[in-house]
Amino acid sequence: MIDIICFSTTPWDPIPTRKQQIMKRMPQNCRIFYLDPPVTLIGPLKDPSLRPYLTRFRKSPKRIKENLFVFALPPIIPFYNKKRSINKFNQKMIANFVKEVIYQNFDLKSPIIWTYMPNTVDLLEHLSYSFLVYDCIDKHSEFQGFIDKALVESMEDELAQKSNVVFTTTHGLYNKLKPLNPHTYLVPNGAEFEHFNKASNKLPVPDKMNNIPRPIFGFVGVIHTWIDTQLIEYLAKEKREWSFVLIGPVGAGVSVDNLKKLSNVYLLGRIDNKDLPQYVSQFDVCLNLFRTNKLSENVSPLKFYEYLATGKPIVSTSMPQVEEFSDVVYIGKSYEDILAKCSQALQEAQNPDIEKIEKRIKYAKQTSWDSRVTQIIDILKREGIAIE
């Protein structure tokens, strides 16, 4: 039995991301301990929805399946990405919790530590482990908030150097970390192909979309600070006859007040993942609109791969991980160019290009989570992990 402790940047519920997709596909000879990220003691002041996480660590773990457990971590002191001393204190506390609750109760000796968080470099000295995996999915130093960019960069560099294997999701992240660790591999994000491919068919219209006029330009995902809401506002004002449907929660600190004022913008909020294909099936065109900055340059957008699985036309801002699919995606370089690309994509939606549709679906199959995890397992085998 191979034990894996996964330090994640996102909770297991409610939105499945790379972390959950990989961990739930690990072989049966692996025992997975998935750790939701801790909230800070002042986190609920900014986002009240975090309040339950302050005490969730006292509850029993959630068992997802026979070999996969989800744990909550105790709250931590804020400003850990500004002061290394605070991070060291937090990580020692987390390590003590993990030893007491997981190592002792589940008889762990030297598990694999699989982390997504640069600051976990400071807990390594407090935990025994046999192998270290750093899965780098973002340019962490470019996140907004209380951070010292140089500190985050130094912790990430140190973590990469100490790791047995480093996975990255984009060429930019790969090029940054490969010189620090020769065992660095590029494994971009993927899609739940079978799930989102359902949207390639006409499914019943959900009640929430009954009265939304066509054509529909749709977005799925958390509306974070890196989503270009100003671009969506621009498009909606320029084309009042188009409907813009945004599915997903609004991130903390993000204002969508201007979008709410527009009669042709529909904010549907969070929709359960199992129901998403029914909603995406109603889209004429799928939107992948990120702000152009260093953060988006190093993002492998989950929603993009899910859109590919539908076969539908996709309009995207320019991103390195999207450019390689430029033969089947409408990519714009400016607001005006994006507007023009939306018109072109709509023309395709109204006069389907079977060759493009089939090619998108083919690409999606090649980038499915099943294929990504197979790639990851093959790499781990080559690096000496007896995983089956």
Side-chain angles (χ1 to χ4, degrees):
M1 178 68 70
I2 297 172
D3 290 320
I4 298 175
I5 298 180
C6 176
F7 290 90
S8 179
T9 54
T10 53
W12 184 270
D13 293 316
I15 300 173
T17 65
R18 176 184 179 92
K19 285 78 74 174
Q20 297 95 318
Q21 300 292 1
I22 291 176
M23 290 301 142
K24 71 182 182 182
R25 286 175 171 79
M26 296 305 284
Q28 283 299 310
N29 73 325
C30 296
R31 194 167 50 159
I32 312 296
F33 302 91
Y34 184 100
L35 307 183
D36 284 353
V39 299
T40 67
L41 292 168
I42 63 171
L45 295 177
K46 187 169 71 171
D47 185 357
S49 68
L50 296 176
R51 192 168 291 117
Y53 284 90
L54 292 174
T55 57
R56 192 166 289 178
F57 72 98
R58 297 193 183 115
K59 299 179 180 179
S60 299
K62 180 179 181 180
R63 193 165 193 168
I64 304 301
K65 56 181 185 176
E66 185 179 353
N67 66 329
L68 201 162
F69 304 84
V70 175
F71 289 80
L73 291 172
I76 58 176
I77 298 173
F79 312 118
Y80 54 88
N81 277 331
K82 285 187 74 71
K83 294 289 185 181
R84 187 75 180 257
S85 58
I86 295 176
N87 189 62
K88 286 179 179 290
F89 176 87
N90 284 339
Q91 297 304 321
K92 185 176 181 180
M93 179 184 64
I94 288 171
N96 288 338
F97 176 84
V98 170
K99 282 191 285 190
E100 181 179 339
V101 174
I102 301 178
Y103 276 64
Q104 292 182 18
N105 291 338
F106 292 86
D107 194 29
L108 269 66
K109 303 302 182 188
S110 293
I112 294 173
I113 289 182
W114 191 306
T115 184
Y116 290 85
M117 306 174 74
N119 57 13
T120 53
V121 68
D122 286 331
L123 65 70
L124 298 177
E125 64 182 292
H126 304 293
L127 291 177
S128 61
Y129 60 95
S130 58
F131 199 88
L132 177 61
V133 176
Y134 174 39
D135 194 357
C136 181
I137 60 172
D138 283 304
K139 182 76 170 172
H140 293 281
S141 60
E142 293 299 323
F143 283 115
Q144 297 182 6
F146 299 108
I147 72 167
D148 178 328
K149 291 187 177 184
L151 173 60
V152 175
E153 289 279 349
S154 67
M155 289 193 293
E156 178 171 75
D157 290 353
E158 189 178 329
L159 177 62
Q161 289 168 335
K162 290 183 175 180
S163 296
N164 297 94
V165 167
V166 175
F167 295 118
T168 63
T169 53
T170 69
H171 292 285
L173 297 172
Y174 175 84
N175 292 336
K176 175 184 180 290
L177 298 179
K178 179 71 172 181
L180 298 174
N181 189 324
H183 303 276
T184 297
Y185 301 89
L186 175 64
V187 183
N189 283 328
E192 291 182 276
F193 175 78
E194 300 293 342
H195 185 54
F196 284 94
N197 184 244
K198 297 172 188 173
S200 63
N201 302 308
K202 275 297 174 190
L203 301 177
V205 180
D207 292 342
K208 285 187 175 183
M209 295 186 70
N210 257 332
N211 300 313
I212 299 178
R214 291 189 176 279
I216 295 174
F217 290 75
F219 167 91
V220 176
V222 180
I223 305 173
H224 275 303
T225 53
W226 48 83
I227 299 302
D228 198 339
T229 52
Q230 281 91 353
L231 172 54
I232 298 170
E233 181 184 350
Y234 164 80
L235 296 173
K237 285 180 176 178
E238 289 292 319
K239 293 290 185 179
R240 300 279 182 173
E241 69 274 21
W242 295 352
S243 295
F244 294 84
V245 173
L246 311 183
I247 295 174
V250 178
V254 177
S255 173
V256 291
D257 291 345
N258 287 344
L259 294 178
K260 288 179 178 178
K261 295 174 185 175
L262 300 173
S263 61
N264 60 332
V265 175
Y266 303 83
L267 293 148
L268 303 189
R270 178 179 285 136
I271 301 295
D272 195 291
N273 186 61
K274 67 179 174 58
D275 299 322
L276 281 178
Q278 188 179 353
Y279 284 78
V280 179
S281 171
Q282 315 310 318
F283 294 176
D284 293 292
V285 177
C286 300
L287 299 175
N288 182 63
L289 305 179
F290 280 70
R291 298 185 190 279
T292 303
N293 54 34
K294 287 184 179 180
L295 183 61
S296 62
E297 285 175 10
N298 292 284
V299 166
S300 177
L302 280 167
K303 63 184 67 62
F304 174 74
Y305 298 103
E306 294 166 353
Y307 293 159
L308 282 176
T310 71
K312 293 178 179 290
I314 304 166
V315 174
S316 177
T317 44
S318 181
M319 305 173 69
Q321 292 302 118
V322 173
E323 292 286 350
E324 58 190 271
F325 300 95
S326 59
D327 56 331
V328 294
V329 179
Y330 298 89
I331 301 172
K333 307 291 185 182
S334 65
Y335 279 23
E336 294 77 13
D337 193 18
I338 290 285
L339 180 61
K341 292 298 193 294
C342 283
S343 295
Q344 293 173 27
L346 181 58
Q347 289 178 4
E348 186 202 323
Q350 294 169 341
N351 300 280
D353 184 328
I354 302 303
E355 185 179 347
K356 278 189 175 180
I357 292 171
E358 291 178 347
K359 204 166 186 181
R360 290 186 193 110
I361 292 173
K362 179 183 177 182
Y363 281 147
K365 282 182 180 178
Q366 293 170 349
T367 60
S368 70
W369 279 120
D370 288 340
S371 67
R372 298 300 198 207
V373 174
T374 296
Q375 183 183 356
I376 285 171
I377 290 173
D378 287 344
I379 291 169
L380 292 175
K381 286 180 179 178
R382 295 201 304 269
E383 294 288 351
I385 298 297
I387 196 167
E388 298 299 335

